[in-house]
Amino acid sequence: MDKKIENLGILDGKILIFGGVYSNLQALEKLKHISEELNIAPENCICTGDIIGYCAQPEETIQLFKLWGARSIVGNVEIQLRDNETDCGCDFREGSRCDGFSQLWYPFAQSKLTQNSLDFIATLPDHITFSLGGNINTVVHGSYNNVSEFIFKSTPWSLKETSFNDTKSDVIIAGHCGLPFKDEQNKKQWINPGVIGMPANDGEPHVWYAVLEEINGKMIASHYTMNYNHQLTSQLMKNGLLPEEYARTIVTGIWDNTEILPAVESGLQGFGIRI
């Protein structure tokens, strides 16, 4: 299938980038408020996908996202929901804890979404491109050629390089892995803003996003943490249908397991994050 790519052209002003809302309505409400405080227009707010996920309010989250008018690409979850598939497509190892948890939260989300929300999901592009500060930026979920590929800071540059080569981009803005980072080599930059729907395994309940802006003709990416009403999010997840382990992570900031993480990132669990 041909990729659906939305080209936004040259953008002005600050750009808010974020990933993985994961059906976390409280986090989305807070980020929308932050964008308004920063005077960032909705069309300059860009999500790396997985608007839907582990938390308790998938329908409300989609409807607020629509109301806000922010942009998003499809994550693997949106693709699976759009195509009425029976699993989340996260590429978890079969039989793993993450795989078992997905057999709870994915059908829950699927059961809650209205046709209106599914119609919205069907409009989302595979990728977004735009220019800022002379850089060509491409927004992907996992990598350009694999929506479910986990790319971390420690991932070899040779694997990242394929996405740059295939898109002719200076900057790749990616999601999926759940951890914020920047990696720069050969005048190319891979940026993951982090996700707002779950903590980043750093031992804090806060979540991560990033802002791009042009300063003296150069594009600068700055990461930020965000506090929100995580206690309410966690409480709503304790509905007997969603994994209680994820409800606990919302509060503790520690993932239930590190199955998807490379050794470097796994070893940093609970130690905080330095970008």
Side-chain angles (χ1 to χ4, degrees), residues 35-100:
S35 75
E36 291 162 355
E37 285 189 326
L38 295 174
N39 199 29
I40 301 177
E43 57 268 25
N44 276 18
C45 300
I46 302 173
C47 178
T48 61
D50 284 357
I51 303 170
I52 302 303
Y54 316 116
C55 300
Q57 295 176 281
E59 174 64 16
E60 296 90 338
T61 299
I62 286 285
Q63 292 303 320
L64 179 60
F65 199 96
K66 284 182 61 182
L67 180 68
W68 180 13
R71 303 181 189 273
S72 184
I73 62 170
V74 288
N76 50 278
V77 178
E78 280 80 42
I79 290 173
Q80 297 298 93
L81 289 166
R82 179 194 70 195
D83 296 345
N84 197 29
E85 298 291 346
T86 57
D87 64 74
C88 69
C90 293
D91 201 25
F92 296 139
R93 179 175 54 81
E94 187 175 352
S96 66
R97 285 182 68 80
C98 288
D99 181 50

Side-chain angles (χ1 to χ4, degrees), residues 139-264:
V139 184
V140 306
H141 185 63
S143 65
Y144 182 68
N145 291 304
N146 183 352
V147 69
S148 296
E149 185 173 9
F150 289 106
I151 300 287
F152 298 91
K153 186 168 186 178
S154 70
T155 300
W157 186 259
S158 58
L159 295 179
K160 295 169 181 161
E161 205 163 28
T162 302
S163 291
F164 291 105
N165 294 338
D166 290 347
T167 61
K168 306 292 191 293
S169 297
D170 304 297
V171 179
I172 296 292
I173 299 166
H176 191 54
C177 79
L179 300 180
F181 69 87
K182 287 191 283 191
D183 190 13
E184 187 170 5
Q185 292 190 39
N186 308 322
K187 297 182 178 179
K188 306 285 187 182
Q189 194 169 25
W190 190 289
I191 301 170
N192 192 312
V195 299
I196 66 166
M198 277 276 166
N201 201 32
D202 55 359
E204 298 288 345
H206 61 217
V207 293
W208 291 79
Y209 66 97
V211 175
L212 309 177
E213 57 185 320
E214 184 179 347
I215 300 176
N216 297 324
K218 184 179 179 182
M219 192 188 86
I220 304 296
S222 304
H223 282 78
Y224 299 94
T225 58
M226 178 184 86
N227 293 305
Y228 69 100
N229 192 351
H230 63 273
Q231 294 285 0
L232 176 57
T233 300
S234 178
Q235 192 61 42
L236 290 169
M237 292 170 70
K238 296 175 182 177
N239 59 10
L241 299 171
L242 294 169
E244 289 229 357
E245 291 84 352
Y246 286 163
R248 188 160 55 245
T249 290
I250 290 285
V251 175
T252 66
I254 296 293
W255 293 2
D256 170 81
N257 64 82
T258 59
E259 292 171 331
I260 68 166
L261 297 181
V264 171

Side-chain angles (χ1 to χ4, degrees), residues 95-144:
S96 66
R97 285 182 68 80
C98 288
D99 181 50
F101 293 152
S102 72
Q103 293 174 36
L104 296 175
W105 66 257
Y106 179 79
F108 173 83
Q110 200 170 32
S111 73
K112 296 296 182 181
L113 291 178
T114 63
Q115 189 59 50
N116 179 276
S117 289
L118 292 171
D119 290 345
F120 170 74
I121 286 170
T123 69
L124 300 177
D126 295 293
H127 305 290
I128 288 173
T129 66
F130 63 92
S131 296
L132 181 70
N135 286 316
I136 298 173
N137 301 264
T138 298
V139 184
V140 306
H141 185 63
S143 65
Y144 182 68

